[in-house]
Amino acid sequence: MDNKAIQDLQRDSEVVDEEGEQSHYSSDEVHAYSVDEAVGASNLDMEADNGAKLSDLVISDNTEEESTYDLSKESAFQGILEEGGSSIDGRILDEGHQDDIAAVPTSSNNTTPASTESGTLVSDVLDGDASLDDSIHEGPASPSSSDEGTSGYLAGSGSSSASICSASGADESVDGVLIQESNRPARRTWVPGKRHPEEDDTSLSWRKHKKHFFILSYAGKPIYSRYGDEHKLAGFSATLQAIMSFVENSGDTVRFVKAGDHQIVFLVKGPLYLVAISATEEPEQVIRWQLELLHAQLVLILTMGVEKCFVKNSKFDMRPLLGGTDMVFSHLIHGFSWNPATFLRAYTCLPLPHVIRQSTGAALQDMPNSGALFSILMSGSKVINLMSPRKSSLSPDDILLLCNYVSSSDSFRSAESFFPVCLPGYNPTAFLYAYVQYLNDDTCLFLLTADPDGFFQLKEYRGRIETLLRETNVLAEVTNAVRLGGLRVEQLPQPKASTSSQDSKTSSIFGSDSDHELHGSAGVTRQGVAGTGGPAGLWHFIYRSSFLDQFVASEFSPPLHIPSAQKRLYRAYQKSYSSMHGDGAGGPYKMQYRRNEHHVLLSWRTSDFELYAAFDPLADKSSAVAVCNRVCQWLRGLESEIFLLGATPFSW
Amino acid sequence: MSARKRTLLKVIILGDSGVGKTSLMNQYVNKKFSNQYKATIGADFLTKEVQVEDRLVTMQIWDTAGQERFQSLGVAFYRGADCCVLVYDVNVMKSFDNLENWRDEFLIQASPSDPDNFPFVVLGNKVDVDGGNSRVVSEKKAKAWCAAKGDIPYFETSAKEDFNVDVAFQVIAKNALKNETEEEIYVPDTIDVNSSRPQKASGCEC
């Protein structure tokens, strides 16, 4: 469907609105501005100093189904959508689901791999209750799919299988679970180790988890499961393999199955199968990318060479090779719901005064013959500085995965470590060797070499770096910066009548040059509480620089201090990112304005940057756009503190 | 942390429809038997943990449907099997004759690396029926066939009476383990940075 058609449909959906149900739309609107479609309905000129300009924007009402806590409204809402086919299409446009539909080989609605004690390869067909999405999926069946065969399976349903999906009538309660679950304190409280190892597919609690991840071999042997014991789940794993191999037999690959509230996303990587079963309403593309990362994490541990084991011996059991790495995967999966690096394909830096960052660069660079391919100084998941003496490129995903590997285990904290590791983006077929040591609680040094005997050399190198960093007081500065945290929306400068541009150039989150007080409480409260609250209340933002492959996200402040609210916003960002990049239909977009009962989300993409900003649900469009411009201006002035400039390995 | 190595064995059960594959599996895993015949659709999967000598083994049992219309399961389905169990009904000659086909089919589809030594086990089921009076395949005949196929272990079983079931599966596990290929030490390559590097440019191309 081309954009024009979609726009038409959206206009149709507005007509549907006027026929009576307008109120249902008012709280859930999405304004999508297509890149190449520019019909003037409302003119909003947005100009930032980078020259990005948005004009002649199409504003089309659309719907976004995000949360369903209001039962009555939600069902009425679905009613409209089912009535007016055009509005359903409009919705797909923004949900980015268009592709999913074509990619569903098993087109029958509500199929789910039933898993019982006997894990029968039979899918339950739930009667009625065709939810919104299912009614969409019924339409265009994939021509090459194995419909007939699958329905042969379905016909036999009747085993005692309690299906893992719930009927769509249970939407609200499921959402309640989401909120509860996400009330778990996020981030720092991640506990290493296997979750619920006692569970298997017969446990009710196992079925209730919102998001499962599985890795299995193409023979159906389990390799990893997020929840439960892999061996006890051998039957379930066999079921997954049977589904995949059934489709494979017809020369096709199953990519995606929608079953009630659950999405099942499949990814085939040579002899390895990765599967996610999710009730989180994340777009398929987002989940698929998470599976890609999971696979890359596995490659980081073992290299792609592991595939050879399967060529030689299809029975190959990979689990022993991965012994003790459960926590690496579960830590990564945990990161999927709080770390923007997992979907932005960018890394973030610890905000530091420019001079301090320069000192760290000098320290890392001072070693001409160390044999190191990369030296990275990290603080948690944030980069302090990185160098590549050999001018090799290091991808943001490699940084993410390497950092995840190290932070998933506390054993790295207590000793210097030297271990083989593969950087999938650099060379997925071979090992490098990583020397890792924490210099203090907040700072960790990574040195990577190709020399398996490089330990002593790197150890010496580390000693010299550490001395330099201590001498220049950098470590203390880092600790201070960690304590100060990142950008806060409260710091956003107030718009000034005339002299704004000069001011922003010299601003600093660590204090301006005139009062060279780099730290202390002054930095945080300096700018007052401009910009938050009220109709233009900015709550949070993520800014991604396209040239640097770096992003910066503001700290969460009230009302986003609750983990569940953060998770919800984070998922909304993921969805927007996916939609802005044209995964699915309709995109890519230049700008989107989405409103629901929780927030307004403004997404803005230019050739230089992407900005995702969350506002109070009452924020109106023009003031939100104005605030976004101010944010960009502000960040431009802070570039040297929040980004690693110049030394980026991608420009070598 | 899995300090002790656990082994997972993929066991595939094949045989004509109605010979009692599912019943054998249910008897073995769940200690249950039902006289009611319920055709397996596609395949069923059961897991059972057993101790074989000093090793903890998880058997992942693939109970397949006997009907021909499900034979499209094919290559991917048989891939990576550690052992194949062939089942026939001692009271039905045709089910015995078909063992040959099942075995060939398996070897073609699964194409194991060493087909001559691939562990099969043959089970002659339903020996309890009619006190043995209705049986048409003699033990001698069955054993001769097994011997001709490279000494396949043979057991006469009754899923109903739970006769010989455990013993048979114990041998299945044991033979599958025996056939386990020597695991080589996993040594992937190391990057040689001084030779030409096969690395991809990632990120942006500026």
Side-chain angles (χ1 to χ4, degrees):
Chain A
M1 191 185 309
D2 61 50
N3 275 331
K4 183 70 185 158
I6 290 165
Q7 299 292 351
D8 288 344
L9 286 173
Q10 287 172 333
R11 252 170 262 130
D12 284 348
S13 74
E14 286 176 85
V15 175
V16 173
D17 257 359
E18 286 160 13
E19 280 167 8
E21 307 271 11
Q22 189 134 21
S23 59
H24 295 299
Y25 272 112
S26 58
S27 70
D28 258 57
E29 51 179 309
V30 175
H31 297 164
Y33 310 114
S34 168
V35 173
D36 40 23
E37 182 82 4
V39 184
S42 148
N43 283 334
L44 286 172
D45 276 345
M46 258 177 81
E47 223 154 332
D49 24 6
N50 47 47
K53 183 177 176 186
L54 278 173
S55 56
D56 299 336
L57 303 169
V58 181
I59 298 192
S60 51
D61 271 1
N62 215 323
T63 59
E64 181 178 22
E65 181 194 39
E66 279 226 32
S67 168
T68 52
Y69 68 72
D70 183 344
L71 170 62
S72 57
K73 195 180 85 191
E74 178 64 20
S75 43
F77 180 62
Q78 289 203 356
I80 306 168
L81 290 172
E82 274 155 27
E83 273 164 42
S86 55
S87 62
I88 291 180
D89 275 340
R91 193 189 76 93
I92 297 170
L93 160 75
D94 277 295
E95 301 290 316
H97 272 177
Q98 190 91 11
D99 276 356
D100 309 353
I101 297 164
V104 177
T106 47
S107 71
S108 39
N109 56 332
N110 278 328
T111 58
T112 175
S115 66
T116 61
E117 34 185 4
S118 62
T120 309
L121 173 51
V122 164
S123 300
D124 275 17
V125 180
L126 302 180
D127 294 334
D129 286 325
S131 74
L132 179 61
D133 288 294
D134 297 312
S135 56
I136 294 166
H137 285 293
E138 270 182 333
S142 156
S144 59
S145 73
S146 47
D147 291 334
E148 289 166 17
T150 311
S151 53
Y153 274 61
L154 294 170
S157 119
S159 71
S160 60
S161 28
S163 93
I164 51 167
C165 80
S166 47
S168 58
D171 272 356
E172 286 73 23
S173 62
V174 171
D175 222 70
V177 174
L178 166 68
I179 290 160
Q180 268 191 349
E181 193 186 77
S182 56
N183 266 334
R184 278 179 321 196
R187 267 212 238 202
R188 312 229 179 267
T189 48
W190 183 83
V191 185
K194 186 83 177 172
R195 298 292 188 283
H196 312 286
E198 72 293 343
E199 292 177 354
D200 59 36
D201 51 338
T202 61
S203 335
L204 198 61
S205 54
W206 186 84
R207 287 155 184 254
K208 279 191 174 158
H209 296 304
K210 295 277 282 185
K211 200 168 175 188
H212 285 274
F213 285 95
F214 305 95
I215 308 176
L216 47 135
S217 82
Y218 66 173
K221 296 193 175 184
I223 295 169
Y224 171 78
S225 166
R226 182 185 189 190
Y227 301 110
D229 176 86
E230 285 85 1
H231 270 239
K232 286 187 191 144
L233 290 169
F236 189 79
S237 173
T239 312
L240 291 174
Q241 196 268 343
I243 292 168
M244 296 175 83
S245 70
F246 185 84
V247 179
E248 189 189 315
N249 264 348
S250 52
D252 207 343
T253 309
V254 58
R255 287 167 50 88
F256 178 70
V257 173
K258 176 96 189 163
D261 298 332
H262 287 75
Q263 303 182 72
I264 309 166
V265 182
F266 300 89
L267 179 68
V268 176
K269 287 282 180 183
L272 299 176
Y273 291 171
L274 296 98
V275 183
I277 301 180
S278 151
T280 56
E281 292 181 14
E282 290 162 279
E284 182 215 342
Q285 289 77 15
V286 169
I287 297 175
R288 182 168 301 283
W289 176 246
Q290 292 170 355
L291 290 176
E292 291 276 1
L293 282 178
L294 213 55
H295 178 257
Q297 185 74 70
L298 188 145
V299 170
L300 181 131
I301 299 168
L302 290 175
T303 81
M304 295 278 276
V306 76
E307 291 188 1
K308 281 185 236 153
C309 299
F310 287 98
V311 174
K312 267 188 272 178
N313 172 19
S314 58
K315 308 191 284 194
F316 183 66
D317 185 0
M318 215 171 115
R319 275 187 53 72
L321 275 186
L322 286 172
T325 58
D326 269 354
M327 58 203 178
V328 179
F329 295 109
S330 47
H331 192 262
L332 178 66
I333 292 167
H334 178 69
F336 291 160
S337 47
W338 71 263
N339 185 353
T342 56
F343 69 91
L344 287 175
R345 302 176 202 182
Y347 65 93
T348 192
C349 291
L350 181 73
L352 273 180
H354 187 55
V355 282
I356 303 296
R357 196 169 329 267
Q358 280 178 321
S359 322
T360 61
L364 292 181
Q365 208 153 28
D366 191 33
M367 314 292 152
N369 297 314
S370 64
L373 275 174
F374 303 106
S375 342
I376 314 167
L377 199 58
M378 303 279 302
S379 172
S381 59
K382 297 177 176 177
V383 172
I384 297 170
N385 212 327
L386 54 88
M387 289 287 159
S388 172
R390 285 169 178 266
K391 311 282 184 247
S392 308
S393 69
L394 182 61
S395 84
D397 295 332
D398 283 350
I399 297 175
L400 168 73
L401 297 169
L402 181 64
C403 184
N404 177 65
Y405 185 85
V406 170
S407 32
S408 67
S409 167
D410 274 344
S411 38
F412 288 106
R413 290 189 166 268
S414 48
E416 53 185 341
S417 315
F418 189 71
F419 56 94
V421 72
C422 167
L423 297 183
Y426 175 71
N427 183 342
T429 61
F431 272 140
L432 290 174
Y433 295 85
Y435 176 95
V436 173
Q437 186 167 35
Y438 279 84
L439 303 180
N440 64 21
D441 277 355
D442 300 307
T443 318
C444 182
L445 178 65
F446 294 72
L447 303 172
L448 289 143
T449 179
D451 178 7
D453 304 315
F455 176 79
F456 291 103
Q457 203 173 4
L458 293 183
K459 182 186 170 72
E460 191 199 326
Y461 180 22
R462 185 267 304 160
R464 288 158 63 188
I465 293 174
E466 191 173 356
T467 310
L468 267 173
L469 291 177
R470 286 192 199 284
E471 275 171 2
T472 51
N473 207 26
V474 167
L475 290 181
E477 294 287 355
V478 167
T479 303
N480 210 353
V482 170
R483 193 175 51 77
L484 276 175
L487 301 179
R488 293 170 191 283
V489 288
E490 296 87 353
Q491 295 170 304
L492 179 63
Q494 284 284 20
K496 284 171 193 146
S498 51
T499 59
S500 60
S501 60
Q502 261 75 27
D503 272 27
S504 69
K505 289 279 187 289
T506 53
S507 69
S508 163
I509 48 169
F510 298 96
S512 59
D513 289 340
S514 51
D515 51 5
H516 193 77
E517 174 114 353
L518 286 174
H519 26 83
S521 56
V524 181
T525 54
R526 169 164 316 278
Q527 306 291 353
V529 287
T532 57
L538 174 66
W539 282 358
H540 189 263
F541 65 85
I542 299 178
Y543 176 98
R544 181 192 193 281
S545 160
S546 311
F547 295 131
L548 299 171
D549 278 324
Q550 293 172 43
F551 73 90
V552 61
S554 67
E555 297 283 314
F556 288 113
S557 32
L560 293 171
H561 55 292
I562 309 160
S564 63
Q566 294 170 6
K567 196 165 177 177
R568 180 167 54 226
L569 176 61
Y570 182 82
R571 293 233 160 106
Y573 279 142
Q574 283 183 316
K575 203 182 226 174
S576 266
Y577 179 88
S578 183
S579 167
M580 290 292 281
H581 285 254
D583 300 342
Y589 294 100
K590 231 177 182 177
M591 179 168 246
Q592 280 186 10
Y593 174 86
R594 288 170 180 254
R595 163 180 293 162
N596 67 15
E597 55 269 62
H598 301 295
H599 52 242
V600 158
L601 203 64
L602 193 76
S603 313
W604 182 17
R605 186 175 172 208
T606 74
S607 55
D608 295 339
F609 68 87
E610 291 168 51
L611 178 68
Y612 300 88
F615 294 85
D616 185 284
L618 295 173
D620 72 70
K621 209 170 321 147
S622 53
S623 42
V625 165
V627 170
C628 283
N629 274 322
R630 276 162 56 206
V631 168
C632 290
Q633 226 167 33
W634 180 44
L635 296 181
R636 185 156 287 267
L638 295 175
E639 255 180 357
S640 64
E641 294 178 355
I642 54 179
F643 292 132
L644 183 55
L645 298 172
T648 170
F650 312 103
S651 55
W652 287 330
Chain B
M1 206 69 73
S2 55
R4 195 144 137 247
K5 190 183 156 187
R6 291 158 81 194
T7 311
L8 189 117
L9 296 176
K10 176 171 174 177
V11 177
I12 295 193
I13 306 187
L14 297 174
D16 278 9
S17 96
V19 297
K21 298 180 293 296
T22 305
S23 296
L24 279 166
M25 187 170 82
N26 261 325
Q27 182 58 263
Y28 177 58
V29 177
N30 300 322
K31 293 282 162 229
K32 277 185 196 145
F33 178 81
S34 159
N35 257 321
Q36 246 176 355
Y37 175 68
K38 228 171 39 183
T40 304
I41 311 296
D44 273 5
F45 308 98
L46 280 181
T47 50
K48 169 130 175 149
E49 293 206 344
V50 288
Q51 181 97 20
V52 181
E53 282 146 20
D54 60 335
R55 300 178 68 170
L56 199 57
V57 175
T58 304
M59 306 241 287
Q60 180 190 48
I61 308 173
W62 295 52
D63 173 25
T64 61
Q67 284 94 347
E68 272 182 44
R69 67 195 160 96
F70 293 117
Q71 294 321 303
S72 62
L73 293 174
V75 185
F77 211 74
Y78 297 134
R79 184 192 289 140
D82 292 277
C83 181
C84 177
V85 182
L86 301 171
V87 186
Y88 77 98
D89 179 348
V90 297
N91 308 293
V92 179
M93 183 55 81
K94 183 90 174 50
S95 71
F96 176 74
D97 294 339
N98 273 340
L99 286 185
E100 185 90 33
N101 298 337
W102 284 113
R103 181 177 169 277
D104 291 349
E105 177 72 7
F106 176 83
L107 289 176
I108 291 165
Q109 298 277 18
S111 54
S113 47
D114 183 9
D116 293 334
N117 291 311
F118 187 86
F120 284 96
V121 172
V122 171
L123 306 182
N125 195 30
K126 303 198 187 180
V127 292
D128 59 283
V129 173
D130 205 9
N133 292 326
S134 62
R135 91 179 268 164
V136 292
V137 184
S138 70
E139 188 171 355
K140 195 175 154 197
K141 186 172 177 180
K143 280 189 165 162
W145 185 83
C146 289
K149 299 293 170 193
D151 273 330
I152 300 178
Y154 174 74
F155 292 92
E156 305 232 310
T157 56
S158 161
K160 188 178 177 182
E161 312 277 330
D162 195 12
F163 171 68
N164 250 354
V165 178
D166 272 4
V167 182
F169 274 92
Q170 195 70 21
V171 169
I172 289 162
K174 220 165 146 179
N175 285 8
L177 279 177
K178 222 186 285 171
N179 192 252
E180 230 186 358
T181 38
E182 281 293 310
E183 257 175 53
E184 296 161 48
I185 298 163
Y186 180 70
V187 191
D189 305 328
T190 296
I191 293 170
D192 182 0
V193 279
N194 297 315
S195 70
S196 58
R197 282 169 278 166
Q199 56 166 295
K200 305 176 277 190
S202 55
C204 68
E205 48 286 307
C206 40

